[in-house]
Amino acid sequence: MLLEVKGLSTEFKLKRGIVKAVDNISFTIDKGEILAIVGESGSGKSVTSLSIMGLLQKPGRIAGGEILFKTQDLNKLSQKELQKIRGNKISMIFQEPMTSLNPVWRIKTQIMESIRTHLQVSQHEALERTIAMLDTVGIPSAAQRANDYPHQMSGGMRQRVMTAMALACEPELLIADEPTTALDVTIQAQILELLYRMREKFHMAVLLITHDLGVVSEAADRVIVMYCGKIMEEADVRTLFSTPLHPYTVGLLQSIPQLDADSDERLYMIKGMVPNPLNMPPGCPFSDRCDHSMQRCSQEMPQLQDIAGHKVRCFLYEGGVRVK
């Protein structure tokens, strides 16, 4: 086991109250595995990744739990100790490369800085490694393009640069936060193929953060569905897509456009709105939007049930058997 998250809770202390962005979640990632975390905006996906990386900004803070990377609790490390791991053993591709890359530094300078921070190599060796990595991620004329500034590259190319930077030190775990957002379908497919090839080449694990179930179906081995900071369902990708259990997961899958659907048929939409994070209901956070809601759903929080390795947080499956 490479990473084990145990009872992680992350909160934001605001003037109007405390927002529990991540609420007591636990999961593991094995070496070489691609684990996807999916859910709507505000479900806690990105906050989970930032918590693991130790990059939370105030007023955010980790309120509880453990983040064990090869048995070492990252929560107990100082920022100096974390910096030795971050970008080296654990790397991250951020959601928007244009805001993550320094606009006044050449591409090669930014990647070389990451390499020389973590590896004892010369300037020349760092440059060679940079060009080789840009070539690996599919940037044509890598030696020339290394001299470019971020604004001289397309969105897809910038995402490749971010991937090259994240992989430059050959990390054991790569966290990819919405790596295909705002890219056209062709470039999305190329980025996913790149992640898959890099996983095979470097034998690394990938934590894929996304709201796109199409991306999940193509890339992931296992899937976690989050809603309002909680894990609602967890299963291997084939099981989740063929037999989803939680009504929220069912709704997400029904919302995916189908090529063979009637052109006059309206796309399915989950009713209602995500609850106010400052005024969460006492029971299941999805109860007001659920077609199967029972009286107890609005009063009690269901526990995460494990049904032969398929986990679901729903009273419909209490004791491992669907009740209605």
Side-chain angles (χ1 to χ4, degrees):
M1 187 183 300
L2 185 64
L3 182 78
E4 183 178 12
V5 175
K6 300 170 67 175
L8 176 65
S9 293
T10 302
E11 62 184 29
F12 290 81
K13 192 173 183 180
L14 309 176
K15 290 182 179 179
R16 292 178 293 164
I18 294 176
V19 172
K20 290 185 177 181
V22 176
D23 192 359
N24 191 27
I25 69 169
S26 300
F27 61 88
T28 62
I29 305 177
D30 292 327
K31 292 181 179 180
E33 180 183 31
I34 298 181
L35 172 67
I37 299 181
V38 301
E40 293 174 90
S41 297
S43 62
K45 309 184 303 296
S46 293
V47 174
T48 298
S49 65
L50 293 173
S51 300
I52 294 170
M53 291 292 289
L55 292 174
L56 279 173
Q57 300 292 319
K58 289 186 177 180
R61 74 179 189 94
I62 294 177
E66 297 176 305
I67 302 170
L68 304 175
F69 180 68
K70 297 197 295 187
T71 72
Q72 185 177 32
D73 191 350
L74 301 183
N75 279 348
K76 295 180 179 178
L77 300 183
S78 65
Q79 279 300 314
K80 188 174 182 180
E81 291 171 320
L82 270 176
Q83 285 172 4
K84 294 178 181 179
I85 296 175
R86 195 165 52 216
N88 185 16
K89 300 297 183 183
I90 306 176
S91 285
M92 186 168 180
I93 303 174
F94 293 91
Q95 185 169 345
E96 177 43 63
M98 200 57 192
T99 58
S100 303
L101 294 169
N102 191 319
V104 299
W105 282 12
R106 296 182 190 275
I107 295 301
K108 67 179 182 183
T109 306
Q110 302 188 52
I111 300 177
M112 288 170 63
E113 181 189 37
S114 175
I115 294 170
R116 299 202 71 195
T117 296
H118 298 291
L119 304 178
Q120 300 299 316
V121 297
S122 67
Q123 186 87 356
H124 179 70
E125 288 174 312
L127 178 58
E128 285 189 332
R129 194 181 183 104
T130 294
I131 293 171
M133 189 55 67
L134 289 173
D135 184 64
T136 298
V137 299
I139 291 185
S141 307
Q144 287 74 40
R145 298 307 300 267
N147 291 302
D148 286 354
Y149 291 95
H151 73 270
Q152 293 176 285
M153 291 187 159
S154 66
M157 284 296 177
R158 288 195 294 266
Q159 195 63 276
R160 289 173 185 270
V161 168
M162 285 293 299
T163 304
M165 189 182 301
L167 298 177
C169 298
E170 299 183 11
E172 295 177 61
L173 173 63
L174 175 68
I175 300 175
D177 186 4
E178 301 278 9
T180 58
T181 296
L183 300 177
D184 64 53
V185 176
T186 303
I187 302 300
Q188 281 187 21
Q190 292 174 1
I191 295 297
L192 290 177
E193 174 62 23
L194 173 62
L195 285 179
Y196 196 82
R197 282 195 293 108
M198 295 302 101
R199 188 267 292 262
E200 299 298 313
K201 181 179 176 68
F202 297 110
H203 309 290
M204 65 182 181
V206 179
L207 178 59
L208 177 62
I209 309 293
T210 184
H211 65 275
D212 190 332
L213 286 165
V215 168
V216 171
S217 67
E218 290 291 327
D221 299 312
R222 197 157 47 89
V223 189
I224 287 174
V225 179
M226 285 188 70
Y227 185 77
C228 292
K230 285 193 170 292
I231 292 176
M232 309 307 278
E233 188 164 358
E234 179 182 346
D236 67 82
V237 68
R238 288 187 178 181
T239 301
L240 189 94
F241 276 77
S242 63
T243 55
L245 299 183
H246 199 282
Y248 177 58
T249 309
V250 173
L252 288 178
L253 292 172
Q254 288 178 342
S255 301
I256 301 174
Q258 302 294 323
L259 289 175
D260 58 351
D262 191 322
S263 59
D264 295 328
E265 186 179 343
R266 293 189 65 180
L267 191 63
Y268 178 83
M269 183 176 67
I270 300 174
K271 67 180 182 181
M273 300 288 290
V274 177
N276 185 339
L278 289 167
N279 187 28
M280 293 294 292
C284 174
F286 191 64
S287 59
D288 285 347
R289 310 177 70 187
C290 182
D291 293 330
H292 304 279
S293 182
M294 300 174 277
Q295 185 175 356
R296 67 183 301 196
C297 296
S298 60
Q299 300 167 351
E300 304 172 42
M301 177 66 72
Q303 298 300 308
L304 199 60
Q305 306 280 332
D306 191 332
I307 307 171
H310 191 158
K311 298 178 182 178
V312 61
R313 185 185 300 278
C314 185
F315 288 128
L316 290 175
Y317 302 93
E318 199 165 31
V321 179
R322 186 177 174 104
V323 297
K324 75 170 186 177

